[in-house]
Amino acid sequence: MTGIHITDIESAINHWRERSPSPDGLSLCPELRALAEIYGRLVYLKLSEVDEADMPPAAHAAWMTWYESQPDTPCIAICSTSQGDDTCKGCGRSFDEVQHWTAMRPAEKRAVWRRITLEGNSWRFNRYAERAIE
């Protein structure tokens, strides 16, 4: 099973903090509590990922709500894999990732997103960055 990176857990936590702010500065909504438990465990164990299958249902549901608020695909409508490139110059995904994107699980998609963001060398992140905003 694919792991969910700690940075995605952090992003989901921030999503829920904005969506359901604490009324008293101390209490957390159930979704935040579930994600904070996973985040705390990762930090304590010095891990960078949690296996998607090992997430408690409440934490996974909270993460999925955040995930669904994110863009699904890194595509910027300039695909060089259709012209024979192994890696798309537009989005940075491999030919296989482009071809199998719709069949990939959410954690697998986020792993690709993380990799191409860290690499940052596709046109999505430089030449045509304004397209990525839309």
Side-chain angles (χ1 to χ4, degrees):
M1 211 24 73
T2 304
I4 296 174
H5 198 268
I6 193 169
T7 55
D8 275 357
I9 302 294
E10 290 172 346
S11 294
I13 287 171
N14 289 331
H15 168 84
W16 282 101
R17 286 179 63 204
E18 186 175 306
R19 187 172 176 174
S20 297
S22 173
D24 57 10
L26 298 173
S27 57
L28 301 174
C29 68
E31 296 84 0
L32 263 173
R33 279 196 309 273
L35 289 166
E37 180 181 322
I38 296 296
Y39 184 82
R41 188 177 337 144
L42 289 173
V43 170
Y44 180 76
L45 296 174
K46 297 181 176 142
L47 299 173
S48 60
E49 293 185 340
V50 61
D51 193 317
E52 185 178 14
D54 292 339
M55 287 183 78
H60 191 266
W63 183 81
M64 283 300 296
T65 299
W66 166 80
Y67 169 82
E68 291 165 359
S69 73
Q70 302 302 298
D72 178 57
T73 178
C75 182
I76 61 167
I78 302 175
C79 191
S80 69
T81 60
S82 62
Q83 299 167 4
D85 287 345
D86 289 335
T87 302
C88 179
K89 290 180 178 105
C91 69
R93 293 179 293 168
S94 70
F95 178 79
D96 284 341
E97 289 166 345
V98 171
Q99 294 300 308
H100 300 291
W101 189 258
T102 57
M104 292 172 79
R105 297 187 45 77
E108 294 170 323
K109 289 180 180 182
R110 289 304 304 166
V112 172
W113 269 101
R114 177 168 166 67
R115 189 196 80 244
I116 65 172
T117 301
L118 289 172
E119 290 170 355
N121 53 12
S122 64
W123 292 344
R124 165 177 252 291
F125 299 106
N126 49 48
R127 188 178 302 181
Y128 296 102
E130 73 278 357
R131 285 190 179 194
I133 296 170
E134 297 173 4

